[in-house]
Amino acid sequence: MPDLTIQDSDCLLIIDVQNDFCQGGSLAVPDADAIVPLINELSPQFATVVLTQDWHPAGHSSFASSHAGKQPFESITLPYGEQTLWPDHCVQGSHGAEFHPRLACDAAQLIIRKGFRSAIDSYSAFYENDHTTTTGLTGYLQQRGIRRVFCVGLALDYCVRYSAVDARREGFDAVLLEHACRGIDMNGSNDAALAAMKEVGVVIDS
């Protein structure tokens, strides 16, 4: 098992701990609120902390409401590939887009807002869903001398999964702190996400 002792060259990546993904939100992830105190305990241990924030314009192409006759959780094909349709969530400036009120954000040096282009969704903290358009996170971490990324947050089977996989793609070591994540888990998607992360060398710490 790799040494998980936290180093100055490590980054804690806190993914999408926002009201719409928590209890009472429009796309609530089961038991999501339980990870907030766990993340708050982790944050002070890291010299570099980055938050991601879903930040969709109204009428975003990933919203089921933007497509006549479509329901949330159906899939459609968009120019960049298959896209799951979601309930309207994390609309820019809304209460649902705000971070969980008990999430300690003061330790973060950077907030990456993603999904703000209306025609393309963005799960990963590193790339939009075309897997080509970057968020700029790679360059930021490289400039800070980061070598390893610890991933926590929501949802395990979507934004956390793709962020961890892309961290490896970008040349970083990656660790999933599974106890500080929760997933939507549609049709076994949590297990599929864990398998996909392991396949590319993400260390799973339960």
Side-chain angles (χ1 to χ4, degrees):
M1 184 71 182
D3 181 7
L4 297 183
T5 304
I6 297 166
Q7 311 289 335
D8 285 345
S9 57
D10 293 334
C11 170
L12 181 65
L13 181 60
I14 303 172
I15 299 163
D16 296 0
V17 184
Q18 296 168 257
N19 288 328
D20 268 343
F21 297 127
C22 296
Q23 185 175 357
S26 64
L27 187 48
V29 177
D31 199 36
D33 293 65
I35 70 172
V36 173
L38 303 176
I39 294 172
N40 289 347
E41 290 176 11
L42 287 165
S43 292
Q45 302 175 46
F46 287 81
T48 300
V49 179
V50 173
L51 295 166
T52 73
Q53 186 177 25
D54 250 15
W55 196 248
H56 297 307
H60 192 269
S61 61
S62 70
F63 295 167
S65 62
S66 298
H67 304 275
K70 296 295 184 181
Q71 298 299 315
F73 310 111
E74 292 184 21
S75 292
I76 63 170
T77 300
L78 291 178
Y80 54 85
E82 186 176 345
Q83 172 67 50
T84 300
L85 296 177
W86 305 108
D88 290 24
H89 66 280
C90 298
V91 174
Q92 297 172 3
S94 69
H95 172 75
E98 294 174 5
F99 292 115
H100 190 288
R102 292 193 299 278
L103 182 69
C105 299
D106 290 349
Q109 294 91 16
L110 178 69
I111 297 171
I112 292 283
R113 284 179 166 169
K114 56 191 183 67
F116 57 82
R117 294 179 174 88
S118 61
I120 185 168
D121 205 5
S122 183
Y123 296 155
S124 170
F126 294 88
Y127 284 92
E128 296 191 341
N129 284 6
D130 60 1
H131 308 296
T132 300
T133 306
T134 69
T135 66
L137 180 57
T138 296
Y140 176 82
L141 296 179
Q142 289 173 340
Q143 288 288 322
R144 294 183 68 91
I146 297 300
R147 294 195 290 271
R148 184 169 59 170
V149 177
F150 285 73
C151 298
V152 298
L154 305 169
L156 171 68
D157 39 348
Y158 285 92
C159 296
V160 175
R161 167 189 174 171
Y162 287 98
S163 296
V165 167
D166 280 346
R168 294 291 296 134
R169 172 185 175 185
E170 294 298 278
F172 301 100
D173 292 330
V175 180
L176 175 78
L177 298 178
E178 188 178 359
H179 72 288
C181 303
R182 293 294 185 273
I184 298 171
D185 203 18
M186 292 189 297
N187 303 314
S189 55
N190 279 0
D191 287 342
L194 293 170
M197 287 185 272
K198 288 178 182 175
E199 185 176 351
V200 298
V202 177
V203 174
I204 311 294
D205 181 55
S206 300

